[in-house]
């Protein structure tokens, strides 16, 4: 056998990281998270990575993001769920090297926490009044600056271009 002639084509049947129960709760809808989170729990499942030439293979880099949400608990134990952001590149090897499929991961220092909140009617009214007040102020500033510019232009025309 010639190890450098190795074909490292592969298929990822299932790749998840974290507590299996956390993933099942998110996928089954028992935990309220955005839809894109469900797709990021196992984004490589079913993907096929085929190499067509000698001396090449895929390297997979996975960014893991800790995900927290209400309902990801069993008793007092918090279940761990991780979103995976994959990046796969085709790597080329020298003739004297043996190709290998690599999976590398990096745990993100930032965690994502999801929670649902509702807005009270008075918070909504306050926001609307703040927007209206801000709009009124901006229009007033624009009108004031335009009035100043017009008055300076008209004074300049009355004086014939001479200073006041």
């Amino acid at each position: 056998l010639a190890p450098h002639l190795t074909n490292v084509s592969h298929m990822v049947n299932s790749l998840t990281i974290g507590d299996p129960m956390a993933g099942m709760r998110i996928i089954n809808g028992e935990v309220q998270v955005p839809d894109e989170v469900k797709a990021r729990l196992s984004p490589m499942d079913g993907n096929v990575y085929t190499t067509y030439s000698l001396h090449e293979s895929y390297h997979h880099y996975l960014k893991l993001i800790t995900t927290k949400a209400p309902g990801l608990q069993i008793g007092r134990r918090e279940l761990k769920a991780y979103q995976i952001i994959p990046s796969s590149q085709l790597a080329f090897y020298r003739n004297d090297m043996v190709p290998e499929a690599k999976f590398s991961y990096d745990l993100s220092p930032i965690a994502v926490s999801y929670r649902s909140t509702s807005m009270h009617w008075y918070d909504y009214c306050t926001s609307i009044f703040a927007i209206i007040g801000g709009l009124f102020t901006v229009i007033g500033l624009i009108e004031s600056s335009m009035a100043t510019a017009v008055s300076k232009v008209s004074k300049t025309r009355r004086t014939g271009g001479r200073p006041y």
Side-chain angles (χ1 to χ4, degrees), residues 4 10 32 35 37 39 42 44-45 59 66 68 70 79 83 103-104 119 131 145 147 150 152 154 161:
H4 64 279
H10 57 282
Q32 296 298 319
D35 289 335
V37 173
S42 52
M44 298 180 78
D45 287 4
H59 291 185
T66 306
K68 299 178 181 179
L79 300 174
Q83 294 181 58
F103 288 83
S104 304
M119 185 181 271
I131 291 169
S145 61
V150 167
K152 286 193 183 232
S154 65

Side-chain angles (χ1 to χ4, degrees), residues 8 10 57-60 93 99-103:
V8 288
H10 57 282
S57 71
Y58 279 93
H59 291 185
H60 306 285
Y93 288 83
E100 58 188 5
K102 287 186 181 179
F103 288 83

Side-chain angles (χ1 to χ4, degrees), residues 14-163:
S14 177
L15 177 65
T16 56
I17 298 172
D19 290 319
M21 183 62 82
M24 287 173 34
R25 284 188 170 184
I26 291 173
I27 290 170
N28 292 339
E30 298 173 29
V31 177
Q32 296 298 319
V33 293
D35 289 335
E36 61 265 12
V37 173
K38 295 176 186 177
R40 288 187 186 144
L41 291 178
S42 52
M44 298 180 78
D45 287 4
N47 289 356
V48 176
Y49 300 93
T50 306
T51 57
Y52 296 101
S53 301
L54 299 176
H55 312 294
E56 64 184 25
S57 71
Y58 279 93
H59 291 185
H60 306 285
Y61 302 96
L62 311 172
K63 178 64 97 174
L64 305 179
I65 302 170
T66 306
T67 304
K68 299 178 181 179
L72 284 179
Q73 292 180 349
I74 296 179
R76 293 189 321 192
R77 181 175 171 261
E78 188 174 328
L79 300 174
K80 298 287 184 189
Y82 295 93
Q83 294 181 58
I84 301 171
I85 300 176
S87 174
S88 300
Q89 287 87 27
L90 188 61
F92 298 96
Y93 288 83
R94 296 188 320 251
N95 289 345
D96 61 335
M97 296 180 68
V98 178
E100 58 188 5
K102 287 186 181 179
F103 288 83
S104 304
Y105 67 91
D106 180 28
L107 186 61
S108 174
I110 298 173
V112 177
S113 226
Y114 294 100
R115 62 186 167 121
S116 61
T117 59
S118 61
M119 185 181 271
H120 296 288
W121 66 271
Y122 48 84
D123 290 333
Y124 179 74
C125 289
T126 303
S127 297
I128 294 296
F129 287 135
I131 291 169
I132 292 170
L135 185 62
F136 182 77
T137 302
V138 168
I139 290 173
L141 288 170
I142 292 171
E143 189 273 330
S144 173
S145 61
M146 287 179 64
T148 303
V150 167
S151 71
K152 286 193 183 232
V153 168
S154 65
K155 278 185 184 178
T156 305
R157 284 186 181 168
R158 276 186 277 161
T159 59
R162 295 184 307 266

